[in-house]
Amino acid sequence: MDSAAWTKIETIIGWIDDQSPLDDPMQTLSMRMHKIYEEAGEASQAFIGATAYNPRKGQSHTMDDVKKELCDLIITTMVALRTVDPDAEQTFAANLERVTARSTGSAKQPAAD
């Protein structure tokens, strides 16, 4: 992920902090963690609506709604990560490399005993 995205996350965090009534860092982090669950629920709700899985509601959403909600989830998670870690950009990049290596089979395997 490019640095411009993380710069925008910093801008969003500044705006949130300016609007927040909270002054306790752990309370702030707790609310940002809870916000992840809220956004995940909205993404799930949009998917259920896009696939008309709920017969009572029918098709109430579109796949564009799902995409938007997934983006909101990613942004919210980035905000929480940056709240926990001042080096969030590097932490994310390192973890993305680790998961990519593991997922593609290019991770170094421990030597057999």
Side-chain angles (χ1 to χ4, degrees), residues 64-84:
D64 282 343
D65 295 325
V66 175
K67 293 176 201 176
K68 177 195 162 296
E69 295 300 342
L70 288 171
C71 287
D72 288 352
L73 176 58
I74 292 166
I75 292 165
T76 301
T77 303
M78 290 174 72
V79 167
L81 177 59
R82 175 55 187 84
T83 302
V84 172

Side-chain angles (χ1 to χ4, degrees), residues 1-74:
M1 190 168 296
D2 64 31
S3 292
W6 287 103
T7 300
K8 290 176 183 175
I9 292 300
E10 292 289 341
T11 300
I12 292 168
I13 288 172
W15 177 79
I16 294 169
D17 287 347
D18 287 346
Q19 304 299 313
S20 177
L22 304 175
D23 57 6
D24 176 47
M26 287 309 285
Q27 241 186 341
T28 297
L29 176 58
S30 177
M31 293 310 295
R32 290 178 185 174
M33 297 297 292
H34 288 295
K35 185 73 175 156
I36 292 170
Y37 291 109
E38 178 191 9
E39 294 298 340
E42 290 175 8
S44 181
Q45 180 181 24
F47 183 75
I48 290 168
T51 58
Y53 185 74
N54 183 338
R56 184 176 56 81
K57 292 183 179 181
Q59 187 171 4
S60 58
H61 292 76
T62 66
M63 289 309 282
D64 282 343
D65 295 325
V66 175
K67 293 176 201 176
K68 177 195 162 296
E69 295 300 342
L70 288 171
C71 287
D72 288 352
L73 176 58
I74 292 166

Side-chain angles (χ1 to χ4, degrees), residues 95-109:
N95 277 279
L96 182 58
E97 287 299 319
R98 177 184 59 79
V99 171
T100 301
R102 181 183 68 207
S103 300
T104 61
S106 59
K108 295 180 182 174
Q109 300 297 321

